[in-house]
Amino acid sequence: LERVQTALQAHPVTLKDCIKVSRGMFDDMFDISMKQLLHNLPLDRVDDKGIPFWGGAKKPPTPIVFDASNDLHIDYVLHTAALIASSSKKADLRKALEVMPLDEVRQIASSIPSKEFIPKVVKYQLVENTNNNDPTASNDDASAGFTEEVMPTLPPVSEVAGCAMEPEEFEKDDDANHHIDYVTATSNLRASCYAIPIADRIRTKRIAGSIIPAMVTTTAFVTGMVGIELTKFLAGNKTLEDYRDIFVNIAVNMFTLSEPQAAMSTTWKNEDTGNSVTWSIWDRIDMNEGRDVTLEELVDILEKKYELDIFMISLTDGKMLYNQFAKKPEKMKKTIADIVTTMGPLPESNDHFALLVTGSYGEEDPEVPTVFYKFRNF
């Protein structure tokens, strides 16, 4: 809810807006949160047995106050601001940030006051965990209070209708997308809070992308084995016994080959006709009627050929073509391609649609295979 509030109230319009949000995130992550942790778990905290909480592997954090003269701080603000602009679908702001002189970024960032630390009431349930030295917090009461405070401050829907946002999918190999730069700055600041040695961009990229020699070797091996099985298929081998499942553990130089099992299939019986149908997850229904048929014809063909009572037909992206309970006569007379055209442009590289069909088979509700419907190049 806090992120929703921030995203809506601080939706960027200008370059300064992006930098202002990133400055606030800096304070939240490396200053406020650390002070909050030390407020609830002070350095002299001891448990019931008189053993200090902070000690050994548990290092107390050191809050970091923003310093515009520190290059690491500016790197975080700049790359975070660029990601904010990108995720807010403000490509022009992102491009402007990328060419903005660093001195100007420092000036804007330094003009934004740091957030004031206001202690919160947080209950911590201290759990000893060898894999995680941070305490696990139970914040139900605080969350409930926060919800009551924030809900009235959220702007009405009419004011945020134009706030477009889209997620950023991590991609380590694009040096221009700011992803690795953001991860480097963030992880190094976090490391600085706990007196952990920082890492340069190359090492961060290797860690974040899991680029290790073993991975490359395994990928090469798997690609080769897949190539062998594909060659068998292209050579015309049709029986299951011709192929192999392969298990490999390169660390101990172990390779195991076995005959694959047939794909699990399910049989549905139509009590009305006495017929049955068997489909597996690998099955599909290919439809090539020699022309682009109408929606009414498509439903009729599927129902007669497969004894189905069709409920719905949709594209794989969820766009609905047919709904038995909301049929429109004029739509039923249109061809499939014409209907899809009203939802968006036809695919240039494909001559078929993948259709998802739901319906009943007698008293059963089978999982109907994907229908590959050919609409051109017959």
Side-chain angles (χ1 to χ4, degrees):
L1 188 58
E2 186 176 13
R3 293 183 179 180
V4 172
Q5 181 195 40
T6 301
L8 295 179
Q9 294 182 340
H11 196 75
V13 178
T14 64
L15 286 176
K16 187 172 181 179
D17 292 337
C18 296
I19 295 175
K20 182 178 179 180
V21 175
S22 64
R23 268 285 287 112
M25 292 176 63
F26 182 100
D27 291 339
D28 289 335
M29 293 180 65
F30 309 113
D31 186 21
I32 303 297
S33 62
M34 301 302 169
K35 290 178 179 177
Q36 180 65 53
L37 182 60
L38 292 174
H39 173 77
N40 289 278
L41 296 172
L43 296 178
D44 58 356
R45 173 69 178 265
V46 295
D47 61 17
D48 297 338
K49 299 179 180 179
I51 300 175
F53 176 80
W54 298 109
K58 293 195 184 93
K59 295 181 179 180
T62 300
I64 298 178
V65 178
F66 179 78
D67 180 5
S69 64
N70 189 308
D71 290 340
L72 182 57
H73 295 195
I74 292 300
D75 281 347
Y76 174 85
V77 170
L78 175 62
H79 296 302
T80 303
L83 290 176
I84 290 170
S86 180
S87 61
S88 301
K89 304 186 76 170
K90 302 284 187 180
D92 54 335
L93 295 183
R94 173 176 163 174
K95 291 179 181 178
L97 277 165
E98 291 172 342
V99 298
M100 177 182 286
L102 277 180
D103 288 342
E104 189 174 345
V105 177
R106 293 182 197 275
Q107 183 179 358
I108 297 175
S110 62
S111 67
I112 300 171
S114 297
K115 291 185 178 181
E116 179 185 359
F117 170 59
I118 301 176
K120 299 178 182 178
V121 178
V122 181
K123 295 180 180 179
Y124 284 94
Q125 179 182 356
L126 304 183
V127 177
E128 291 293 335
N129 190 325
T130 56
N131 296 322
N132 182 5
N133 294 323
D134 288 336
T136 301
S138 176
N139 300 331
D140 293 342
D141 295 340
S143 298
F146 178 78
T147 301
E148 294 176 357
E149 292 178 9
V150 172
M151 285 300 291
T153 68
L154 294 178
V157 177
S158 58
E159 294 183 8
V160 297
C163 294
M165 289 177 280
E166 62 181 359
E168 282 280 320
E169 293 187 12
F170 179 71
E171 173 52 62
K172 62 179 174 58
D173 294 321
D174 183 357
D175 290 336
N177 63 11
H178 300 273
H179 293 183
I180 290 295
D181 299 291
Y182 169 79
V183 172
T184 301
T186 304
S187 59
N188 283 338
L189 284 166
R190 176 77 173 179
S192 299
C193 289
Y194 289 93
I196 299 173
I198 63 175
D200 59 20
R201 189 182 188 278
I202 295 177
R203 182 162 182 249
T204 300
K205 183 176 180 179
R206 187 175 70 246
I207 296 172
S210 299
I211 306 174
I212 54 178
M215 181 179 178
V216 177
T217 305
T218 304
T219 302
F221 178 87
V222 171
T223 303
M225 293 300 99
V226 171
I228 291 175
E229 299 304 305
L230 182 59
T231 302
K232 295 178 184 178
F233 178 80
L234 296 176
N237 297 48
K238 300 299 183 182
T239 61
L240 196 62
E241 292 75 15
D242 293 330
Y243 300 89
R244 290 295 180 268
D245 280 337
I246 303 172
F247 173 82
V248 56
N249 187 337
I250 294 180
V252 295
N253 200 31
M254 182 178 72
F255 307 89
T256 304
L257 285 74
S258 61
E259 289 188 5
Q261 294 181 344
M264 184 179 296
S265 61
T266 305
T267 300
W268 291 273
K269 187 174 182 180
N270 190 332
E271 298 293 346
D272 298 331
T273 63
N275 297 328
S276 63
V277 61
T278 300
W279 284 317
S280 75
I281 59 174
W282 291 104
D283 284 319
R284 79 180 198 185
I285 296 175
D286 291 304
M287 286 193 64
N288 181 358
E289 300 301 315
R291 60 184 176 87
D292 186 18
V293 301
T294 65
L295 180 58
E296 185 176 41
E297 291 174 321
L298 175 66
V299 173
D300 187 58
I301 291 170
L302 290 173
E303 290 189 335
K304 289 183 177 179
K305 188 172 183 179
Y306 299 99
E307 298 182 4
L308 293 169
D309 182 15
I310 305 297
F311 298 154
M312 288 183 291
I313 301 176
S314 66
L315 299 175
T316 53
D317 61 3
K319 295 176 181 176
M320 189 67 64
L321 299 183
Y322 172 78
N323 187 334
Q324 184 187 71
F325 311 103
K327 291 191 291 187
K328 297 180 179 179
E330 63 277 9
K331 185 177 182 180
M332 297 296 292
K333 299 299 181 182
K334 292 183 178 181
T335 64
I336 305 303
D338 287 341
I339 296 174
V340 175
T341 302
T342 63
M343 303 175 180
L346 294 176
E348 296 181 0
S349 58
N350 292 333
D351 58 6
H352 67 272
F353 299 125
L355 306 178
L356 303 181
V357 178
T358 59
S360 63
Y361 184 73
E363 299 298 324
E364 302 284 347
D365 293 322
E367 294 182 11
V368 182
T370 301
V371 176
F372 281 73
Y373 171 79
K374 197 174 183 70
F375 66 94
R376 63 185 174 199
N377 299 331
F378 305 107

